[in-house]
C-alpha cells in the first residue's frame, strides 16, 4: 500500500486554510504544554490527545470554526445498574479570528486528567 492510503496526523493540519491551521497548531501546542505525558495521535481522522491509555480531548474543524472537545473516557465511568455509561464530551467552540482562552483550555484538560489519576 502507498502512504496516501494512511493520512498522517500532519495532513489534517496541512489541508486547512492558513488561518484555521495556525489556530489549530496553537491549540495543539497549548494542550501538549499541560503535561509531558499527553500524546498527540490521529483517531477518527482528526487529532486526538491521550493521557496514559485514556482519551482526553480532540480538535475538529466544523464550518470554519474549531471545536475543542474534552472527553471523560467511558473506561473511567463506573457501571450503574449493570449498564456502562457512554463517554461524556464537553465541547468548546473557537473562532480563529478571536483570542484563544488558554487558561480555560488548560483548566479543562487538567480536570479531565484529574479523573484519570
Amino acid at each position: 500500500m502507498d502512504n496516501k492510503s494512511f493520512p498522517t496526523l500532519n495532513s489534517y493540519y496541512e489541508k486547512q486554510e492558513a488561518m484555521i491551521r495556525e489556530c489549530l497548531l496553537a491549540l495543539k501546542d497549548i494542550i501538549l504544554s499541560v503535561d509531558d505525558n499527553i500524546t498527540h495521535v490521529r483517531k477518527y481522522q482528526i487529532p486526538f490527545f491521550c493521557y496514559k491509555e485514556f482519551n482526553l480531548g480532540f480538535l475538529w474543524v466544523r464550518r470554519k470554526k474549531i471545536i475543542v472537545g474534552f472527553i471523560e473516557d467511558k473506561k473511567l465511568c463506573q457501571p450503574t445498574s449493570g449498564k456502562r455509561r457512554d463517554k461524556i464530551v464537553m465541547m468548546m467552540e473557537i473562532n480563529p479570528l478571536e483570542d484563544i482562552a488558554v487558561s480555560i483550555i488548560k483548566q479543562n484538560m487538567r480536570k479531565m486528567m484529574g479523573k484519570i489519576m
Side-chain angles (χ1 to χ4, degrees):
M1 284 190 198
D2 61 32
N3 287 337
K4 293 179 182 177
S5 303
F6 300 103
T8 65
L9 184 56
N10 288 333
S11 68
Y12 184 82
Y13 298 107
E14 291 168 359
K15 73 179 183 179
Q16 306 299 333
E17 294 177 15
M19 177 179 46
I20 292 174
R21 179 177 49 248
E22 294 305 316
C23 189
L24 284 169
L25 292 172
L27 287 164
K28 177 187 85 162
D29 290 343
I30 291 165
I31 293 168
L32 291 174
S33 74
V34 171
D35 190 285
D36 290 338
N37 296 310
I38 295 176
T39 57
H40 183 223
V41 297
R42 185 176 179 126
K43 291 184 181 184
Y44 312 109
Q45 305 303 316
I46 61 174
F48 259 77
F49 300 90
C50 301
Y51 182 73
K52 300 184 180 179
E53 73 272 12
F54 299 99
N55 291 326
L56 188 61
F58 60 87
L59 298 175
W60 177 42
V61 176
R62 181 178 68 187
R63 297 186 198 126
K64 302 205 185 242
K65 298 281 183 166
I66 298 170
I67 306 297
V68 180
F70 306 97
I71 303 169
E72 182 178 332
D73 198 301
K74 66 183 175 183
K75 291 182 271 187
L76 294 172
C77 301
Q78 298 297 320
T80 56
S81 305
K83 292 185 177 181
R84 190 172 206 166
R85 225 174 57 184
D86 285 337
K87 64 185 169 221
I88 296 171
V89 178
M90 181 177 63
M91 292 192 267
M92 180 178 177
E93 190 174 274
I94 305 289
N95 182 338
L97 297 174
E98 297 175 0
D99 289 341
I100 297 171
V102 175
S103 61
I104 293 172
I105 293 169
K106 286 184 173 189
Q107 178 183 6
N108 284 333
M109 284 294 165
R110 287 186 189 107
K111 179 180 173 185
M112 294 300 144
M113 288 170 54
K115 293 180 180 190
I116 295 169
M117 296 175 165

